[in-house]
């Protein structure tokens, strides 16, 4: 009872005391914890991991001179900021509304400004409102075209025959239509990965059976639904687990595995319906596909290797349309993705695909962080994302789950770990370099782009 009495006494003291840390916003005092929580909620909606959100809030807190007298805690859907002296806590929930790449870029520029001291904590509410004001449902045409380009680009990059590439283009557009319609209904969002995988597999199976094409590579089925593969989610989960964010990392990992399970069930259902047999041996990582080809001609021939480089550009443009990056960020994405493809393709014959993926992640993470410091309007979290999608072996993991092949499952798991280690190592180096403060006209530049 002594412990309970002390807790009640501390609670009464906390309730009776004014907030130790406040800022004046529009003539009213607002707790600093509320300001930091509002920023953290924005970063969660922008797709940042809880580890990165907590680090950003602590840096903003320290830059404002508050110091460790405010403790920051972050979960996947909320931010908690508490007064260490009194235990009084402020909790802010994330809105759960996904932000576009341009909004994520503006959110990260806000963080940079807070860290450098060029933006004060009192400016957070107005800037967050301005960023969230740009939240609109994705337009139909860019979403559908982006899915089609992403699907066809992946099919070419992973060396599918011409018939599969053209089919991936059409099926990707169809899956884009289905997902665009269902995204409007919250209850239907969870079923989109299953339905997309089922539709993709069924169409590929029917076409293969009707044309007599007996060699059906993995990405003929998976390319149209690759956007839904939770490779980034699972990798973020592993990063959070290595940073001791056990609860969040575990929950994200389970969520990613459930999504993979839904997609695997869709593939299994479509295969059972059409009698399709996908070759598990066709699951290859980016660095392993350069030598893939067949001795067949016509529609069953594999595009020349140089076409893959063009497809990487198309893939980056497609992702820019899907995630509403805008043309400036899309051009950066093209450069980053081509570089990632070149690095992995060039180093895989020497180091192997697993090590090459980690090395490419470290190199590109350092490069994008340095670019962020030179040009703050291009945040690293946004410019690194396209390369991240190309490096993440999520679709290879999908086929391993779908075929229950334990040997195939080991490769993506090892590559996930390599990617996490490479990203962690890459994150240690850019701190040695000075960070430029964002230009006050940054938001206006973004709006124009």
């Amino acid at each position: 009872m002594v412990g309970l009495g002390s807790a009640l006494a501390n609670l009464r003291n906390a309730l009776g005391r004014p907030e130790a840390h406040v800022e004046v916003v529009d003539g009213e005092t607002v707790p600093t914890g509320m300001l930091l929580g509002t920023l953290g909620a924005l970063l969660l909606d922008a797709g940042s991991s809880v580890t990165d959100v907590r680090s950003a809030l602590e840096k903003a807190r320290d830059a404002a001179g508050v110091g460790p007298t405010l403790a920051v805690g972050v979960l996947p859907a909320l931010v908690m900021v508490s007064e260490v002296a009194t235990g009084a806590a402020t909790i802010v929930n994330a809105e759960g509304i996904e932000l576009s790449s341009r909004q994520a870029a503006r959110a990260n520029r806000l963080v940079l400004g807070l860290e450098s001291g060029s933006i004060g904590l009192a400016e957070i509410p107005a800037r967050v409102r301005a960023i969230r004001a740009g939240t609109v449902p994705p337009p139909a045409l860019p979403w559908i075209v982006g899915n089609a380009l992403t699907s066809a680009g992946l099919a070419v990059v992973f060396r599918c025959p011409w018939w599969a590439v053209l089919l991936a283009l059409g099926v990707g557009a169809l899956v884009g239509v289905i997902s665009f319609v269902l995204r409007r209904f919250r209850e239907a969002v969870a079923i989109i990965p299953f339905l997309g995988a089922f539709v993709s597999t069924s169409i590929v199976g029917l076409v293969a059976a009707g044309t007599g094409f007996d060699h059906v590579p993995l990405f003929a089925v998976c390319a149209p639904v690759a956007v839904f593969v939770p490779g980034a989610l699972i990798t973020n989960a592993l990063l959070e687990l290595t940073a001791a964010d056990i609860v969040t990392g575990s929950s994200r990992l389970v969520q990613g595995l459930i999504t993979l399970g839904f997609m695997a069930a869709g593939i299994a259902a479509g295969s059972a319906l059409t009698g399709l047999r996908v070759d598990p041996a066709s699951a290859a990582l980016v660095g392993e596909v350069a030598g893939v080809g067949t001795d067949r001609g016509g529609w069953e021939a594999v595009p020349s290797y140089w076409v893959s480089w063009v497809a990487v550009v198309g893939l980056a443009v497609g992702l820019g349309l899907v995630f509403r990056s805008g043309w400036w960020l899309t051009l950066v994405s093209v450069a980053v993705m081509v570089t990632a493809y070149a690095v992995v393709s060039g180093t895989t014959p020497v180091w192997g695909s697993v090590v090459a993926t980690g090395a490419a992640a470290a190199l590109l993470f350092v490069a994008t962080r340095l670019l962020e410091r030179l040009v703050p309007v291009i945040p690293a979290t946004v410019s690194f994302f396209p390369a991240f999608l190309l490096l993440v072996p999520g679709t290879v993991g999908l086929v391993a789950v779908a075929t229950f092949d334990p040997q195939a499952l080991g490769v993506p798991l090892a590559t996930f770990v390599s990617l996490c280690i490479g990203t962690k190592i890459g994150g240690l180096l850019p701190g040695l370099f000075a960070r430029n403060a964002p230009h006050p006209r940054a938001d206006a530049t973004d709006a124009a782009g």
Side-chain angles (χ1 to χ4, degrees), residues 102 325-329 443-449:
R102 278 188 289 183
S325 300
W327 286 112
W328 284 111
L329 289 178
D443 286 345
T445 302
D446 177 73

Side-chain angles (χ1 to χ4, degrees), residues 328-353:
W328 284 111
L329 289 178
T330 298
L331 290 175
V332 173
S333 299
V334 169
V336 171
M337 188 166 278
V338 170
T339 302
Y341 188 65
V343 171
V344 176
S345 299
T347 57
T348 293
V350 180
W351 295 335
S353 61

Side-chain angles (χ1 to χ4, degrees), residues 298-326:
W299 289 109
E300 292 187 274
V302 174
S304 301
Y305 181 58
W306 67 265
V307 181
S308 298
W309 293 89
V310 179
V312 171
V313 177
L315 176 59
V317 173
L319 290 172
L321 292 173
V322 170
F323 295 103
R324 292 169 288 163
S325 300

Side-chain angles (χ1 to χ4, degrees), residues 1 120 132 186 228 271 278 280 297 320 335 347 357 362 375 428 439 445:
M1 292 301 294
R132 289 194 181 276
R186 181 180 296 271
F228 306 129
S271 299
V278 176
T347 57
T357 299
V375 188
L428 296 176
H439 193 277
T445 302

Side-chain angles (χ1 to χ4, degrees), residues 62 82 92 95 98 116 130 186-187 209 227 245 252 300 315 337-338 357 381:
D62 295 341
S82 59
V92 179
E95 295 186 7
E98 184 179 352
S116 66
R186 181 180 296 271
E187 299 81 4
V227 171
D245 289 311
R252 288 190 193 272
E300 292 187 274
L315 176 59
M337 188 166 278
V338 170
T357 299
T381 53

Side-chain angles (χ1 to χ4, degrees), residues 70-125:
L70 284 180
V72 178
V74 185
L75 292 175
L78 59 85
V79 180
M80 298 172 290
V81 183
S82 59
E83 298 274 357
V84 174
T86 64
T90 300
I91 299 177
V92 179
N93 290 305
E95 295 186 7
I97 300 175
E98 184 179 352
L99 303 182
S100 69
S101 293
R102 278 188 289 183
Q103 288 176 297
R106 295 180 64 186
N108 280 277
R109 290 205 300 275
L110 173 57
V111 172
L112 296 182
L114 290 166
E115 291 180 14
S116 66
S118 62
I119 298 176
L121 294 179
E123 299 179 57
I124 290 177

Side-chain angles (χ1 to χ4, degrees), residues 49-60 72 74 111 115:
S49 68
V50 298
T51 305
D52 291 337
V53 173
R54 185 176 60 247
S55 175
L57 297 184
E58 289 175 346
K59 289 178 180 178
V72 178
V74 185
V111 172
E115 291 180 14

